[in-house]
Amino acid sequence: MTERNPNIQISAKAPSNHGAILRKDFRAVADAVREVTALDRSKG
């Protein structure tokens, strides 16, 4: 994914508390990931 999209970066430590965000609103995060994946697949 990172090779196809140069805007995606991977880092070892995030400056904010992403764990709390994922626990609190994991459904919204999952929906966003699915949407991005679908867009990427449609480009093909």
Side-chain angles (χ1 to χ4, degrees):
M1 182 58 83
T2 57
E3 290 177 10
R4 288 188 266 167
N5 188 339
N7 296 316
I8 295 176
Q9 296 179 357
I10 298 174
S11 64
K13 182 169 174 65
S16 64
N17 191 352
H18 286 86
I21 294 169
L22 290 173
R23 282 191 298 275
K24 182 177 180 181
D25 206 6
F26 65 92
R27 285 183 182 91
V29 173
D31 289 343
V33 170
R34 287 186 195 103
E35 185 177 340
V36 169
T37 302
L39 289 171
D40 187 55
R41 287 184 182 166
S42 69
K43 290 182 181 180

